[in-house]
Amino acid sequence: MSVIKPDSTPSTGVRLDKWLWAARFFKTRSLAAEEIHKGRVSINGSTAKAAREVRVGDTIALRQGNMPKTVVVRGISGTRGPAAVAQLLYAETEESQQQRLQLTVQRRLAPEPAAAISQQRQGRPTKRQRRDLDTARNSGNWGERWSAHWQE
């Protein structure tokens, strides 16, 4: 695996999609290129293209699933290697780690979405509720409600 250390050649770079793939943020280069094309990856605060060169010291903001990450490039590699080597290519910022922790806590404390749906539905109306609905419909005011229909 060819890893370029920060002190060896700082002017050398590698394509953004290739670096994201080598750093194991995405499973394939095409997935990395797709996320870049969708605008979910930025370098140093500006949107990037897949062919943009990544250099040591660049700050990359990306989204992995629902988790945003901000990393600083510490090394360059054009080939995918073991996860232990891939983790040496970047360092996640403190703000990013705190934000991910906060999002995790919010997600854990949030109510279950399915529970809200099941609480809204009461099922079929009871016989009494049905009679009340029929009475309301037949009281004469039901059909006189305002309608947005263009034909009267």
Side-chain angles (χ1 to χ4, degrees):
M1 179 169 174
S2 62
V3 176
I4 300 171
K5 299 295 179 190
D7 56 345
S8 62
T9 51
S11 63
T12 316
V14 69
R15 287 177 57 107
L16 176 60
D17 59 344
K18 199 172 209 179
W19 186 86
L20 289 171
W21 167 74
R24 294 183 167 262
F25 286 107
F26 299 103
K27 206 167 190 176
T28 63
R29 271 185 69 186
S30 60
L31 283 176
E34 184 178 333
E35 291 296 306
I36 295 165
H37 180 69
K38 289 179 181 177
R40 296 181 183 159
V41 179
S42 63
I43 296 181
N44 299 328
S46 63
T47 57
K49 294 185 178 180
R52 166 101 191 259
E53 280 200 1
V54 176
R55 292 192 168 84
V56 175
D58 284 346
T59 303
I60 299 177
L62 63 124
R63 258 187 124 70
Q64 261 189 321
N66 292 332
M67 292 292 188
K69 284 187 179 182
T70 306
V71 296
V72 178
V73 178
R74 292 171 59 191
I76 304 286
S77 176
T79 57
R80 191 173 171 106
V85 175
Q87 289 176 351
L88 299 174
L89 297 177
Y90 63 92
E92 189 172 3
T93 62
E94 279 294 320
E95 298 85 19
S96 175
Q97 290 174 350
Q98 290 174 356
Q99 185 181 15
R100 282 193 312 122
L101 180 64
Q102 185 180 12
L103 286 173
T104 304
V105 169
Q106 284 179 352
R107 198 171 292 126
R108 193 178 311 129
L109 296 177
E112 179 67 31
I117 293 171
S118 66
Q119 289 174 355
Q120 289 175 352
R121 291 190 183 150
Q122 301 296 325
R124 289 177 51 178
T126 62
K127 192 170 189 177
R128 181 182 200 117
Q129 291 169 340
R130 185 69 189 160
R131 285 181 181 159
D132 291 342
L133 281 171
D134 287 340
T135 304
R137 282 190 183 136
N138 295 332
S139 68
N141 294 340
W142 190 268
E144 295 174 11
R145 292 185 359 187
W146 179 83
S147 175
H149 199 281
W150 64 277
Q151 289 181 341
E152 292 292 326

